[in-house]
């Protein structure tokens, strides 16, 4: 009896693939299966980003200078949990969390310190922030103006993907309707004032981290993307303009071939989705994406095995045509990455770029019977899920009915059960284990960070013009109650030293908090 092998997504893998493959698609041309640029990495490598941020702005700034000195050409900022959910560091809800999973940013003063000695006009910055993404973008724009930069020329990305927060991650604040209003306000503002800024990074990464398989990651991410497109169209925005600044953020796990198939299918599917909604400009039809290697695949047991896992995952992203890449530190199952781990992760990208040969030709796995068949199968399975979501009324309705959450939970349960019963082998965890403990040094964040941030906030509030602060918060309140774009009022507020928590609380007072 022939052995049955399936991917984690449940796609059965044949013993051998012999079917002929159509090869009439070209990279750089619709539907972009083979890549969004004709020459891809022969002309320009992907942006090598290393996700970093911890403790205070001062400490994170030191790490950024270290990474830039090592050859990073794009920064990626991690924010602590209070910053993500709209609390200042001195708020009671922030206790125990300040600076722990990212950097604490309470005001524009913290932003100035974070980028001290770094010209925003010279780099691209990705900020992984959602519910408070509009405030962090306002801080960034205000700082760029202080540095004398032309904001029409600064470039970067805010994640700004609230739907995946409801479905998979949980760092939301407001109900879906006002959250979507904030996002479309950002689309509208940036299309006019900051045209090179990527206004959203529609994230499959966190959906995958929550336990989804590759097909679910693809389907739920593109379904969310459709919802953002429709919301912007309903607001009267031109899809041929705003869709050019949408980007995606995908995960890369260990099955190289399924991951490559996922990336190729994603481009083809998005091109058809945007075309069906009226996009005629090729740049509005292109799916451009950042990739991060899989955090949930990293093991605390035998942690140096993670170096190999990250290399495989990074290779799949490159073979799949990513536009930027973050490779995880091998110690991230234990703590935030140390400098050594961050350096090895970056060197992994550089070896892929300059030694592997993977960049020499475009879409090097194209024409493989296996990869082409798997691309088609991943796409077909993802369309089935999207059709179910569409039948419910789209992503927002599917999330409200807990469809995505339940599908992710079922997938996570099945995956963990397979590890427990041994049918899914994880080296060093359920096979090839060792009694020897080899735990590397870990990066520890001191709890005193909260006191440091609280003292900075007290000094800021004492010396700023608090009457002006009150007027700025009133202006935000009036915008939220009406239909004016929020971004100009928020930028004015941060320039007058309103804090992130004060702006968030002003909107909480109007829209309330979403309880799920």
């Amino acid at each position: 009896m022939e052995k049955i092998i399936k991917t984690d997504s449940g796609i059965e893998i044949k013993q051998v693939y012999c079917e002929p493959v159509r090869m009439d698609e070209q990279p750089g041309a619709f539907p972009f299966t083979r890549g969004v640029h004709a020459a891809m990495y022969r002309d320009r490598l992907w942006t090598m980003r290393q996700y970093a941020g911890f403790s205070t702005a001062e400490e994170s700034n030191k790490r950024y200078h270290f990474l830039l000195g090592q050859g990073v050409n794009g920064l990626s900022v991690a924010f602590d949990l209070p910053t993500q959910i709209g609390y200042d560091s001195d708020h009671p809800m922030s206790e125990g969390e300040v600076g722990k999973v990212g950097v604490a940013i309470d005001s524009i003063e913290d932003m100035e310190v974070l980028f001290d000695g770094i010209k925003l006009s010279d780099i691209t910055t990705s900020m992984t922030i959602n519910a408070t993404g509009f405030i962090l973008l306002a801080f960034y724009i205000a700082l760029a103006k202080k540095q004398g930069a032309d904001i029409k020329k600064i470039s970067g990305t805010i994640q700004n993907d609230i739907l995946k927060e409801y479905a998979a991650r949980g760092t939301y604040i407001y109900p879906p309707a006002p959250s979507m209003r904030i996002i479309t306000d950002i689309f509208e503002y940036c299309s006019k004032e900051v045209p090179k800024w990527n206004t959203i990074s529609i994230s499959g990464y966190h959906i995958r981290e929550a336990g989804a398989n590759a097909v679910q990651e693809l389907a739920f991410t593109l379904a969310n993307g459709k919802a953002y497109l429709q919301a912007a169209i309903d607001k009267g925005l031109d899809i041929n303009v705003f869709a050019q600044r949408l980007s995606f953020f995908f995960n890369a796990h260990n099955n190289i071939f399924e991951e490559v198939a996922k990336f190729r299918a994603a481009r083809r599917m998005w091109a058809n989705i945007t075309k069906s909604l009226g996009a005629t400009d090729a740049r509005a039809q292109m799916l451009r994406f950042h990739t991060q290697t899989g955090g949930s695949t990293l093991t605390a047991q035998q942690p140096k095995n993670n170096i190999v896992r990250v290399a495989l995952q990074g290779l799949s992203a490159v073979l799949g045509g990513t536009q930027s890449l973050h490779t995880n530190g091998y110690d991230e199952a234990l703590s935030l990455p140390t400098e050594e781990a961050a350096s090895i992760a970056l060197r992994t990208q550089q070896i892929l770029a300059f030694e592997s040969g993977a960049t020499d030709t475009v879409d090097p796995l194209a024409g493989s019977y296996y990869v082409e068949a798997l691309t088609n199968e991943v796409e077909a399975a993802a369309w089935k899920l999207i059709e179910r979501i569409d039948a419910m009324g789209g992503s927002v309705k599917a999330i409200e009915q807990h469809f995505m959450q339940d599908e992710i939970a079922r997938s996570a349960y099945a995956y963990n059960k397979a590890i427990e019963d041994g049918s899914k082998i994880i080296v060093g965890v359920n096979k090839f284990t060792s009694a020897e403990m080899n735990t590397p040094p870990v990066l520890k964040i001191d709890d005193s960070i909260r006191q440091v941030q609280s003292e900075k906030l007290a000094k800021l509030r004492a010396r700023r013009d608090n009457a002006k602060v009150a007027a700025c918060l009133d202006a935000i309140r009036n915008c939220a109650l009406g239909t004016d774009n929020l971004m100009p009022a928020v930028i004015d507020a941060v320039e007058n030293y309103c804090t992130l928590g004060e702006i968030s609380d002003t909107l909480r007072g109007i829209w309330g908090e979403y309880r799920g």
Side-chain angles (χ1 to χ4, degrees):
M1 185 176 178
E2 185 178 308
K3 184 178 181 181
I4 296 174
I5 296 175
K6 294 183 179 181
T7 71
D8 291 335
S9 300
I11 295 171
E12 187 173 334
I13 304 303
K14 298 177 184 177
Q15 183 168 305
V16 64
Y17 289 78
C18 300
E19 293 86 352
V21 179
R22 285 182 60 199
M23 287 301 297
D24 55 353
E25 291 184 8
Q26 292 296 318
F30 186 90
F32 310 105
T33 309
R34 303 192 61 195
V36 293
H37 303 300
M40 287 299 289
Y41 306 136
R42 288 169 68 100
D43 279 352
R44 180 183 176 184
L45 290 174
W46 64 91
T47 300
M48 297 182 192
R49 297 191 186 279
Q50 286 305 117
Y51 187 47
F54 59 93
S55 183
T56 60
E58 290 87 350
E59 289 301 312
S60 293
N61 177 261
K62 290 177 187 176
R63 176 64 64 88
Y64 294 157
H65 280 284
F66 167 77
L67 290 170
L68 290 167
Q70 296 294 306
V72 158
N73 50 14
L75 295 178
S76 187
V77 185
F79 297 96
D80 73 356
L81 192 57
T83 302
Q84 292 181 49
I85 55 176
Y87 293 118
D88 288 332
S89 296
D90 58 358
H91 193 284
M93 290 291 288
S94 299
E95 188 169 356
E97 293 293 343
V98 177
K100 289 294 177 70
V101 298
V103 61
I105 300 293
D106 294 316
S107 73
I108 191 174
E109 289 189 344
D110 287 329
M111 206 69 161
E112 289 180 80
V113 173
L114 186 67
F115 291 101
D116 184 41
I118 300 169
K119 288 186 177 180
L120 302 189
S121 57
D122 292 345
I123 60 166
T124 66
T125 304
S126 175
M127 295 188 283
T128 303
I129 194 77
N130 297 284
T132 55
F134 66 108
I135 305 173
L136 272 299
L137 177 59
F139 284 148
Y140 198 88
I141 290 169
L143 177 58
K145 288 162 69 176
K146 275 189 139 186
Q147 289 185 353
D150 180 351
I151 66 168
K152 290 191 182 297
K153 294 181 180 178
I154 62 170
S155 61
T157 305
I158 46 170
Q159 191 163 100
N160 196 29
D161 177 7
I162 203 65
L163 291 179
K164 72 96 173 42
E165 295 296 330
Y166 299 123
R169 192 163 173 266
T171 60
Y172 47 76
I173 304 174
Y174 315 113
S179 293
M180 293 292 278
R181 181 257 176 98
I182 291 172
I183 289 168
T184 54
D185 277 2
I186 292 169
F187 289 175
E188 181 181 51
Y189 175 82
C190 289
S191 67
K192 297 171 184 174
E193 304 297 334
V194 199
K196 292 190 174 182
W197 194 268
N198 295 320
T199 51
I200 193 168
S201 178
I202 304 160
S203 177
Y205 185 85
H206 301 98
I207 290 170
R208 191 72 174 276
E209 289 294 287
N213 59 44
V215 167
Q216 291 170 330
E217 177 193 359
L218 176 58
F220 297 162
T221 305
L222 296 190
N224 288 346
K226 282 182 69 175
Y228 294 126
L229 288 176
Q230 192 60 58
I233 290 167
D234 291 346
K235 192 181 178 71
L237 303 183
D238 183 351
I239 190 172
N240 284 309
V241 176
F242 76 81
Q244 292 190 32
R245 305 317 307 176
L246 273 59
S247 63
F248 287 80
F249 175 21
F250 286 117
N251 211 313
H253 278 213
N254 293 326
N255 187 324
I256 289 179
F257 300 104
E258 186 173 41
E259 296 303 305
V260 172
K262 178 189 73 182
F263 298 136
R264 298 174 87 244
R267 279 192 293 270
R268 188 157 70 204
M269 294 172 73
W270 186 246
N272 283 294
I273 287 169
T274 52
K275 185 177 180 180
S276 71
L277 289 172
T280 54
D281 189 303
R283 289 192 58 81
Q285 298 168 338
M286 292 178 183
L287 182 144
R288 298 166 299 115
F289 68 99
H290 169 72
T291 309
Q292 181 173 339
T293 56
S296 61
T297 68
L298 303 179
T299 64
Q301 303 92 329
Q302 300 179 21
K304 289 188 178 177
N305 292 347
N306 294 330
I307 296 172
V308 180
R309 293 186 178 102
V310 169
L312 289 172
Q313 294 163 8
L315 178 60
S316 76
V318 171
L319 293 174
T322 194
Q323 276 61 68
S324 71
L325 176 62
H326 164 85
T327 35
N328 289 328
Y330 70 86
D331 55 0
E332 288 190 54
L334 301 164
S335 73
L336 292 169
T338 58
E339 278 197 1
E340 180 199 41
S343 181
I344 291 171
L346 176 60
R347 294 290 180 255
T348 300
Q349 291 203 48
Q350 291 164 339
I351 290 167
L352 288 174
F354 299 108
E355 297 184 28
S356 72
T359 63
D360 294 346
T361 190
V362 182
D363 194 19
L365 295 184
S368 157
Y369 295 153
Y370 177 35
V371 171
E372 295 292 353
L374 194 53
T375 299
N376 292 339
E377 290 195 64
V378 167
E379 179 183 6
W383 278 127
K384 286 181 181 178
L385 278 173
I386 291 174
E387 286 164 7
R388 292 180 67 185
I389 292 167
D390 286 345
M392 295 177 193
S395 278
V396 174
K397 295 293 184 184
I399 289 165
E400 289 174 346
Q401 294 174 42
H402 280 253
F403 171 72
M404 291 187 191
Q405 298 93 313
D406 290 347
E407 287 291 304
I408 293 167
R410 274 193 286 271
S411 175
Y413 175 78
Y415 183 81
N416 283 293
K417 188 172 182 294
I419 293 173
E420 289 174 5
D421 66 25
S423 57
K424 175 75 175 176
I425 293 172
I426 306 296
V427 173
V429 175
N430 63 357
K431 199 173 180 71
F432 313 114
T433 57
S434 172
E436 182 182 348
M437 294 297 292
N438 182 19
T439 304
V442 298
L443 182 65
K444 293 184 178 179
I445 305 299
D446 199 305
D447 283 330
S448 66
I449 298 303
R450 182 169 185 251
Q451 184 61 35
V452 171
Q453 286 296 113
S454 297
E455 289 171 2
K456 284 199 280 186
L457 278 166
K459 291 176 182 176
L460 171 68
R461 291 187 180 118
R463 67 172 177 268
R464 68 188 182 179
D465 183 340
N466 284 301
K468 184 66 175 174
V469 166
C472 288
L473 295 176
D474 279 342
I476 290 173
R477 187 177 294 107
N478 291 334
C479 278
L481 289 167
T483 58
D484 288 350
N485 193 298
L486 276 164
M487 285 305 298
V490 174
I491 293 169
D492 187 47
V494 303
E495 288 177 330
N496 283 283
Y497 301 98
C498 294
T499 68
L500 174 136
E502 289 165 345
I503 295 168
S504 299
D505 283 345
T506 297
L507 296 174
R508 277 188 181 96
I510 298 165
W511 294 330
E513 292 189 343
Y514 184 65
R515 298 299 179 186

